[in-house]
Amino acid sequence: KAGVTQTPRYLIKTRGQQVTLSCSPISGHRSVSWYQQTPGQGLQFLFEYFSETQRNKGNFPGRFSGRQFSNSRSEMNVSTLELGDSALYLCASSLAGHQETQYFGPGTRLLVL
Amino acid sequence: DQQVKQNSPSLSVQEGRISILNCDYTNSMFDYFLWYKKYPAEGPTFLISISSIKDKNEDGRFTVFLNKSAKHLSLHIVPSQPGDSAVYFCAASGGVSTDKYIFGTGTRLKVLA
């Protein structure tokens, strides 16, 4: 079974630009969660989607948004990029979401200059 | 406010000895805890979990202990191997946002050969 895939793996953007990251979950998994990892903050929860609906949202500004498609693939968008958005963005998939083992993708490393 | 804390950013242990990684939490509503291991350039991989109805869970060389009264959990690795060198994250879920995992900031374990 193929694992969680994320594209692109690396991205360089400049301040003010926007970016879209993509995540394809493991086949059959309907829940996709997004996390931001920075050295000082560890892994911080961004949001979770299940069956195309956002079920949970972390404490991030509205510049961070996401969506999920009918095939469970998910995209995350960050608008008006700031230097502090430089991080590793991880997505994780699970069957139903609650208290299930999450399987993480390799992440997209975003650098904002 | 960091609800899940890993106060040791790094730990070095000799091969064959025991590694003990600690995690503290503040939210008494958390009822499910997980440990993840992360190698560089890869996403975190699930290691072991424990529900709040138990105080110990063992899987091979890995044992997780939960002390609910102290709001503390620990991961023991015995014996430690060089391949265990990675960043370890603890995560908790439960309470109001049952589908949301709160992660600690991680502890970098280095097992010396």
Side-chain angles (χ1 to χ4, degrees):
Chain A
K1 210 180 215 184
V4 178
T5 57
Q6 291 186 246
T7 56
R9 292 294 310 276
Y10 303 94
L11 204 49
I12 300 176
K13 291 283 187 179
T14 55
R15 277 180 300 174
Q17 286 188 306
Q18 75 158 20
V19 67
T20 299
L21 312 181
S22 179
C23 172
S24 292
I26 291 172
S27 176
H29 285 192
R30 295 168 64 191
S31 170
V32 173
S33 297
W34 287 89
Y35 295 86
Q36 181 195 64
Q37 187 191 357
T38 55
Q41 298 293 320
L43 274 168
Q44 290 189 285
F45 174 77
L46 279 152
F47 26 65
E48 187 216 356
Y49 286 87
F50 182 80
S51 293
E52 301 178 67
T53 302
Q54 188 181 86
R55 276 210 297 201
N56 271 299
K57 192 175 190 306
N59 297 323
F60 278 81
R63 300 185 296 107
F64 292 81
S65 63
R67 58 178 176 167
Q68 187 179 33
F69 302 95
S70 58
N71 61 359
S72 293
R73 190 177 71 85
S74 178
E75 285 182 350
M76 189 192 106
N77 185 276
V78 188
S79 62
T80 321
L81 284 165
E82 300 177 0
L83 295 179
D85 297 333
S86 295
L88 180 68
Y89 291 89
L90 291 157
C91 90
S93 77
S94 62
L95 278 171
H98 174 52
Q99 293 194 356
E100 297 251 350
T101 302
Q102 297 179 97
Y103 295 85
F104 283 83
T108 294
R109 185 162 294 282
L110 171 66
L111 178 61
V112 181
L113 301 175
Chain B
D1 178 34
Q2 196 77 25
Q3 294 187 68
V4 178
K5 299 177 189 177
Q6 293 177 258
N7 292 318
S8 299
S10 64
L11 176 68
S12 290
V13 170
Q14 208 64 37
E15 181 180 7
R17 306 296 290 267
I18 182 171
S19 294
I20 300 176
L21 296 100
N22 294 305
C23 180
D24 296 293
Y25 60 96
T26 58
N27 189 340
S28 58
M29 299 296 288
F30 287 146
D31 59 5
Y32 194 66
F33 305 88
L34 308 95
W35 283 94
Y36 283 86
K37 178 168 73 173
K38 185 182 185 302
Y39 292 118
E42 294 181 17
T45 54
F46 170 75
L47 201 52
I48 192 169
S49 65
I50 189 166
S51 163
S52 61
I53 62 172
K54 301 173 91 172
D55 54 20
K56 177 183 171 182
N57 189 24
E58 198 171 345
D59 184 3
R61 296 186 298 113
F62 302 90
T63 303
V64 56
F65 295 92
L66 175 62
N67 182 333
K68 288 185 288 293
S69 60
K71 297 194 185 69
H72 176 84
L73 67 154
S74 60
L75 174 69
H76 292 211
I77 307 173
V78 186
S80 302
Q81 299 173 354
D84 296 330
S85 297
V87 178
Y88 290 79
F89 291 95
C90 67
S93 74
V96 175
S97 299
T98 56
D99 300 317
K100 191 165 81 174
Y101 289 95
I102 309 294
F103 281 79
T105 50
T107 296
R108 183 177 299 279
L109 173 66
K110 191 170 185 179
V111 179
L112 307 168

